[in-house]
Amino acid sequence: MSKFAFLIRPYVALDLPAIREMWGRSIRELGPRAYSPEQVAAWAVRTNDMDRLGERLGDGRQVWVAEGVTEEPIGFIDLEEDGHIDFLYAAPEAAGQGVAVRLFAEVERAAKAAKISRLHTEASEVARGFFERMGFVMLHRRELELDGVPIHNWKMEKQLA
Ligand SMILES: CC(C)(COP(=O)(O)OP(=O)(O)OC[C@H]1O[C@@H](n2cnc3c(N)ncnc32)[C@H](O)[C@@H]1OP(=O)(O)O)[C@@H](O)C(=O)NCCC(=O)NCCS
């Protein structure tokens, strides 16, 4: 049983700066578990564009934030209308405490309520084991390039009964 207290709530636009900052830290500190320094740096560059993040999180998709006792975001997840999960990130200081499990439970609940029959994502190598534990199956490996740096992730899906 974790002593780590947090709650899950819907994202609001005011969260954007803190979410962007946490997103960058998550990539820079947890990314090295599976990727090289060059890959982590190329991935983290994505977090510089706050306007783009704000557009994505505010485009009508559902987004949830995990909030710690200091009211700082310690994780976030989204669910698009077609069952796509674009974002799942935990703050490094909160990793391994069940934040992602709780965030994913919220997505699964909302997806079932919306009669979405399939969840799918492009899981990083860091997140792959997590999604497998949540019942996702791997479809294929995706070879990508970010600013000229080769990097891979995994297309995964979960059918909802
Ligand atoms: C993947 C990520 C979101 C998991 O967040 P988290 O809050 O640490 O995960 P949880 O604590 O909820 O983990 C739940 C369970 O999955 C396990 N788990 C977490 N990451 C795992 C991994 N990479 N492989 C296997 N199991 C994993 C944990 O041990 C835990 O199991 P337990 O409850 O039996 O101990 C987090 O590592 C992260 O933000 N990574 C960097 C960003 C990233 O890759 N995001 C995904 C982009 S697609």
Side-chain angles (χ1 to χ4, degrees):
M1 179 76 178
S2 171
K3 280 185 274 174
F4 200 83
F6 60 92
L7 57 82
I8 308 291
R9 60 162 176 80
Y11 163 84
V12 292
L14 273 177
D15 293 321
L16 182 60
I19 289 284
R20 184 190 72 97
E21 192 272 337
M22 196 224 81
W23 182 28
R25 276 191 302 121
S26 178
I27 294 171
R28 286 191 300 271
E29 295 183 40
L30 300 176
R33 289 180 178 181
Y35 295 108
S36 71
E38 294 72 25
Q39 290 173 321
V40 170
W43 187 10
V45 164
R46 268 65 208 155
T47 71
N48 290 344
D49 191 342
M50 180 132 78
D51 291 343
R52 175 89 184 104
L53 179 65
E55 281 165 22
R56 288 164 77 187
L57 297 183
D59 68 3
R61 71 185 66 192
Q62 298 188 78
V63 184
W64 295 269
V65 174
E67 186 177 277
V69 282
T70 59
E71 299 184 4
E72 285 298 307
I74 54 170
F76 71 111
I77 195 168
D78 70 336
L79 173 64
E80 297 182 81
E81 251 178 31
D82 66 349
H84 185 236
I85 298 169
D86 204 359
F87 297 94
L88 171 60
Y89 291 86
E93 67 274 14
Q97 306 280 342
V99 169
V101 168
R102 287 269 305 283
L103 285 167
F104 177 71
E106 200 59 36
V107 158
E108 206 165 21
R109 184 199 56 73
K112 285 177 180 164
K115 306 223 180 323
I116 291 171
S117 58
R118 170 184 179 257
L119 295 174
H120 60 112
T121 195
E122 294 79 35
S124 75
E125 188 65 50
V126 181
R128 173 182 154 188
F130 171 82
F131 280 110
E132 280 171 348
R133 290 187 62 156
M134 296 302 112
F136 280 67
V137 294
M138 205 185 323
L139 297 178
H140 56 263
R141 180 178 162 124
R142 301 169 72 244
E143 304 292 345
L144 313 164
E145 249 189 41
L146 295 178
D147 301 331
V149 179
I151 189 166
H152 71 276
N153 60 22
W154 300 90
K155 186 73 200 181
M156 300 181 77
E157 70 171 12
K158 178 175 182 174
Q159 303 289 343
L160 300 177

